[in-house]
Amino acid sequence: MRRRHTVTTGKVTLERVYGITSLHSHQAEPAELASWVRGHWGIENHVRDTTYAEDASRVRTGTAPRAMAGLRNLALGALRHAGHDNIAAGLRHHARDPRRPLATLGIT
């Protein structure tokens, strides 16, 4: 369960989050799984913020913030799938030729 507190309104919301794993129940305790998930998203959020300056984004209305986050996640996933460990370097590499991002996604 995630508990979120909105400071401006004082509203508290609870969100049930599900995850899928290939592990059997005896291979990891729930607390251990939760720790792995938190650690993974902490890294992802750090990469998105440092590489894309996501916290400084001026996109704030409607569904645009969620759409931009989705596009950033798509780019991160595509770069990782293409073998780039350093996302910033991968972005620079793909920026040099406008055909490279499309080729990475399998669009030619």
Side-chain angles (χ1 to χ4, degrees), residues 5 9-11 13 24 31 34 44 55-58 62 65 68 72 76 81 86-87 95-97 100-101 103-104:
H5 178 253
T9 64
K11 183 178 178 181
T13 57
H24 293 283
E44 288 298 315
D55 287 348
S57 175
R58 309 249 330 145
M68 289 303 298
R72 290 178 186 118
L76 287 171
H81 184 71
N86 184 325
I87 299 302
R96 291 186 187 115
D97 182 350
R100 284 182 186 155
T104 298

Side-chain angles (χ1 to χ4, degrees), residues 8-94:
T8 54
T9 64
K11 183 178 178 181
V12 176
T13 57
L14 294 176
E15 178 182 24
R16 185 177 303 266
V17 180
Y18 295 95
I20 298 173
T21 180
S22 60
L23 297 175
H24 293 283
S25 59
H26 66 275
Q27 290 178 302
E29 296 292 323
E32 188 175 20
L33 289 172
S35 175
W36 291 341
V37 169
R38 281 191 303 275
H40 170 75
W41 286 112
I43 291 168
E44 288 298 315
N45 290 337
H46 175 73
V47 169
R48 284 193 350 217
D49 187 39
T50 56
T51 304
Y52 294 111
E54 194 170 57
D55 287 348
S57 175
R58 309 249 330 145
V59 178
R60 292 190 175 90
T61 58
T63 58
R66 184 173 287 187
M68 289 303 298
L71 291 170
R72 290 178 186 118
N73 285 338
L74 172 67
L76 287 171
L79 288 168
R80 286 214 170 95
H81 184 71
H84 292 281
D85 292 329
N86 184 325
I87 299 302
L91 286 171
R92 286 189 300 273
H93 171 77
H94 281 74

